Amino acid sequence: MAGADLLALSVVEREMDDVARALERLDDGTYGTCAACGAMLADEQLGGSPAARFCVAHAPAG
Ligand SMILES: [Zn+2]
């Protein structure tokens, strides 16, 4: 099914986008901090989602 393939591809592309952003943040020293308030992210949060960009308080719903 071409449609399913395209959907899977877009999911992979989005994940690669997240990883690329995480690497940029490693570069500029903001990796592991909330993009909204600058708080350090909890280890368990980064463990579950290494590309997490927001603390629990600022994580987008969903
Ligand atoms: Zn925050």
Side-chain angles (χ1 to χ4, degrees), residues 14-26 51:
R14 194 142 45 147
E15 283 174 359
M16 286 174 59
D17 236 41
D18 282 350
V19 170
R21 264 200 295 268
L23 288 175
E24 276 174 24
R25 288 159 55 69
L26 269 177

Side-chain angles (χ1 to χ4, degrees), residues 37-50:
C37 70
M40 293 296 296
L41 301 188
D43 280 351
E44 64 242 36
Q45 200 178 354
L46 289 170
S49 173

Side-chain angles (χ1 to χ4, degrees), residues 33-41 53-59:
T33 61
C34 175
C37 70
M40 293 296 296
L41 301 188
R53 288 184 295 144
F54 295 99
C55 70
V56 177
H58 292 111

